[in-house]
Amino acid sequence: MVILSLVSCSVSLFSPPISLRLRFPPVTSLFSHVSFPASTFKPELRPLFVCCLQRRETAHIHRCNCLTCTIDGETQIGSLFSLFRDIGFKEEETEMILAKNPDVKSTPLDKISARVASLQSLKLDGFAIQGLIAKCPSLLTSEELDLVITFLVDELEGRLDPELVERILAVSDTSFLLSFNQKVRLLIHHGIPKEKISYVLSKVYLNKLMYQKSVEDIERLISYLEPFGGIGIIARRPVILNSDLDTQLIPRVEFIRNLSGEDDFATGTVLRRLPAILSYSVDHMNSHVEFLKSFAGLTSEQVFKIVHVFPNVISTSKERKLRPRIEFLKESGFDSPGMFKFLSKAPLFLALSEDNLSHKLGFLVKIGYKHRTRELAFAMGAVTRTSSDNMQRVIGLYLSYGLSLEDILAMSTKHPQVLQYSHTSLEEKLEYLIEYMGREVEELLAFPAFLGYKLDSRIKHRYEEKLKSRGENMSLNKLLTVSAERFSKTADNIEVICL
């Protein structure tokens, strides 16, 4: 009965070979109800029956495995959507990211969660992480990123600003991040302090540094600049790292060096004072040098001495500033040697804004200076070192102590620096002169340089020493200008006589 219910055979008389149609109930049902030996079947059907049973069981197991994989895949995708939702992505945005980077789907969820946590350890906020993942989904799966994060957290001790970290990680090819570690280590090895590395990296073009500059290129650049200040110049002007050594830096440094008479130390001084001078082309620098030689009548040596004192002359506009300022000096009676001497002491005169100079010129004319005179030019040179506001306060302070405009003119003609000193420092010295030393303010007319000495270490010290030796009536000039050795001997002699 069981055999008849399980197997039905039909033999076609017209279409050989024999065609068999077998109908089996589910295997699990078959074996859950009854067990029977294969010998129950006719000998010619036994192999066929056993083969069919094996295929049925194999198909059943395979279907179960596929079902398990489908369930695991759906769980992974669901967890990813949940994770991305927590980061701040909408469902459609997550779908786009997964489509853009299919590797995310096959990466273990715990690894992706750990990567997000590591990004958070770099002090990146949710918006920054969301933006990075949207732009570069490969950050979630990149093996290189682990090394970079370890470098940023452990070696750099998390010193980089979050905005800079975001710029570093926003690369289209994460393989470049490995060379980033090497390049930063190289800068630190050559002397860039870790606390300054964030500033240096924030000032360079990161894409150019990471994609176009090899470690060897950076090493060559630093080595070339070594005789002139090396890493110190780069620390002050990090964008130099983006310059091409052969076509940009070497020609520019050599131009300055040739102008200096091949003096490496003097060349280094110029570069350290103004590293930005390396941003100007050789043609630009040469045009400024030739202008000063032709229009002001200076020699190459004199031009370099001015550049050595004030490298910014190279960045000053020839037509808007250099030409009218040199014309002013010519109208004031200066010849070429006189202009060189003036510009060596007051090179800022060439670079200050027109508004700045016009305000100061107005104050000088108000106290009595005449146009197109050497005295006015010297006074202008002196006040280039102070602000218009301080200059106005200084003039007001002198007037408040009883000095007239004529007195201020006489003092500044004799000692032009009296108009450039800090008004707070001047007030302290004037108060000490009158209140503690008991002198008259008019004594400044004979010796205005008194106001240039340091109050505590020079004026007070000398005056108090003289008080001990009863020499308080000594003139201000003698009190302050005599050498320390002679002053000490004079004080000792006076004290012996008094004894």
Side-chain angles (χ1 to χ4, degrees):
M1 294 289 291
V2 175
I3 296 300
L4 292 175
S5 66
L6 290 175
V7 183
S8 173
C9 299
S10 63
V11 180
S12 175
L13 299 176
F14 303 100
S15 55
I18 297 172
S19 174
L20 300 177
R21 291 197 301 273
L22 304 179
R23 292 193 298 273
F24 296 101
V27 177
T28 52
S29 301
L30 173 65
F31 290 103
S32 62
H33 289 86
V34 65
S35 62
F36 46 85
S39 59
T40 310
F41 299 95
K42 294 180 180 181
E44 63 271 20
L45 295 179
R46 289 174 190 167
L48 181 60
F49 176 71
V50 173
C51 180
C52 289
L53 287 178
Q54 289 175 343
R55 290 182 180 176
R56 178 76 177 197
E57 187 65 22
T58 302
H60 176 75
I61 294 171
H62 179 69
R63 187 168 67 249
C64 290
N65 289 338
C66 290
L67 181 60
T68 303
C69 294
T70 303
I71 293 173
D72 290 343
E74 291 177 354
T75 302
Q76 168 83 354
I77 296 297
S79 299
L80 282 175
F81 271 85
S82 177
L83 175 62
F84 277 64
R85 185 169 54 250
D86 292 340
I87 296 174
F89 289 103
K90 297 178 182 178
E91 184 173 337
E92 55 271 22
E93 293 172 333
T94 302
E95 290 175 350
M96 291 178 61
I97 291 173
L98 296 180
K100 189 176 180 181
N101 191 17
D103 290 342
V104 177
K105 299 178 184 178
S106 58
T107 303
L109 184 64
D110 57 347
K111 185 174 181 180
I112 295 178
S113 299
R115 177 59 54 82
V116 173
S118 65
L119 292 174
Q120 293 171 337
S121 72
L122 297 173
K123 302 176 184 177
L124 296 175
D125 58 28
F127 290 109
I129 294 175
Q130 185 178 353
L132 282 172
I133 294 174
K135 185 177 182 180
C136 309
S138 59
L139 290 176
L140 293 173
T141 57
S142 170
E143 297 294 337
E144 294 86 359
L145 191 61
D146 289 328
L147 297 174
V148 175
I149 291 176
T150 300
F151 173 72
L152 295 176
V153 174
D154 295 341
E155 293 191 42
L156 295 187
E157 302 168 357
R159 296 176 184 271
L160 299 192
D161 296 330
E163 295 81 5
L164 178 58
V165 173
E166 188 176 353
R167 287 176 55 202
I168 292 170
L169 299 182
V171 294
S172 56
D173 187 349
T174 54
S175 63
F176 285 98
L177 291 174
L178 289 179
S179 66
F180 168 80
N181 290 4
Q182 295 175 289
K183 292 167 185 176
V184 175
R185 286 193 185 102
L186 180 64
L187 294 175
I188 294 173
H189 171 74
H190 279 283
I192 298 288
K194 285 185 179 180
E195 57 270 18
K196 276 195 170 184
I197 201 68
S198 183
Y199 167 78
V200 170
L201 294 177
S202 67
K203 297 299 180 181
V204 300
Y205 302 120
L206 279 176
N207 286 344
K208 192 171 184 179
L209 182 67
M210 295 173 70
Y211 294 136
Q212 301 178 22
K213 288 280 186 179
S214 67
V215 175
E216 292 73 21
D217 291 337
I218 298 174
E219 181 71 63
R220 283 187 61 226
L221 189 151
I222 295 174
S223 298
Y224 174 75
L225 290 177
E226 196 62 39
F228 312 107
I231 204 69
I233 297 174
I234 294 172
R236 291 190 56 202
R237 182 75 175 177
V239 75
I240 289 174
L241 288 169
N242 293 129
S243 302
D244 184 82
L245 177 61
D246 297 313
T247 62
Q248 294 177 319
L249 286 185
I250 291 178
R252 294 168 188 179
V253 173
E254 288 303 310
F255 177 84
I256 299 170
R257 186 171 176 271
N258 291 335
L259 189 64
S260 73
E262 299 186 348
D263 186 335
D264 287 351
F265 183 79
T267 301
T269 301
V270 172
L271 297 182
R272 288 190 296 274
R273 285 178 175 169
L274 185 67
I277 198 171
L278 293 175
S279 302
Y280 296 99
S281 67
V282 172
D283 289 341
H284 176 93
M285 290 189 285
N286 186 58
S287 68
H288 277 64
V289 171
E290 291 302 320
F291 177 82
L292 291 172
K293 288 168 65 176
S294 61
F295 193 64
L298 305 179
T299 65
S300 295
E301 182 181 359
Q302 290 173 331
V303 171
F304 179 76
K305 287 183 178 179
I306 295 173
V307 172
H308 184 263
V309 175
F310 186 64
N312 295 80
V313 69
I314 294 296
S315 63
T316 304
S317 169
K318 295 195 298 290
E319 298 304 321
R320 290 191 299 105
K321 292 184 178 181
L322 294 185
R323 186 180 296 278
R325 309 291 164 83
I326 292 174
E327 191 66 46
F328 172 86
L329 294 178
K330 288 180 178 180
E331 292 175 355
S332 299
F334 286 87
D335 56 11
S336 293
M339 277 191 280
F340 168 67
K341 187 176 180 180
F342 176 88
L343 294 176
S344 298
K345 294 181 178 179
L348 275 172
F349 173 75
L350 294 174
L352 290 180
S353 69
E354 186 175 347
D355 287 343
N356 188 304
L357 286 182
S358 63
H359 277 99
K360 293 172 181 177
L361 180 62
F363 290 136
L364 293 174
V365 172
K366 184 177 181 180
I367 64 178
Y369 281 98
K370 304 297 182 183
H371 285 290
R372 296 182 177 83
T373 61
R374 293 171 64 89
E375 291 76 17
L376 176 61
F378 283 126
M380 285 289 291
V383 297
T384 56
R385 299 181 180 89
T386 188
S387 66
S388 299
D389 179 67
N390 183 73
M391 185 178 174
Q392 185 176 9
R393 289 171 180 264
V394 166
I395 294 173
L397 180 66
Y398 291 145
L399 294 173
S400 70
Y401 272 87
L403 295 172
S404 64
L405 291 177
E406 291 76 11
D407 294 334
I408 298 172
L409 174 63
M411 288 169 54
S412 61
T413 302
K414 193 170 186 179
H415 188 70
Q417 291 85 350
V418 296
L419 294 175
Q420 75 179 44
Y421 297 136
S422 165
H423 70 93
T424 54
S425 173
L426 285 178
E427 189 168 11
E428 292 175 352
K429 293 172 186 177
L430 287 168
E431 183 179 351
Y432 188 82
L433 175 71
I434 296 169
E435 300 295 332
Y436 293 93
M437 296 177 66
R439 303 297 183 95
E440 297 294 330
V441 71
E442 284 77 12
E443 289 190 54
L444 293 175
L445 297 177
F447 187 59
F450 167 87
L451 298 170
Y453 289 93
K454 292 183 178 180
L455 179 59
D456 292 325
S457 61
R458 189 78 165 193
I459 297 174
K460 285 185 178 181
H461 173 70
R462 290 286 180 97
Y463 179 67
E464 289 170 359
E465 288 297 318
K466 282 299 179 183
L467 282 180
K468 295 177 184 178
S469 58
R470 301 180 183 179
E472 63 270 18
N473 291 324
M474 182 180 287
S475 69
L476 295 178
N477 192 337
K478 285 187 176 182
L479 178 68
L480 297 175
T481 58
V482 68
S483 68
E485 184 180 359
R486 287 185 60 193
F487 176 80
S488 179
K489 288 181 179 179
T490 302
D492 291 342
N493 291 338
I494 293 176
E495 187 172 357
V496 169
I497 293 173
C498 292
L499 290 175

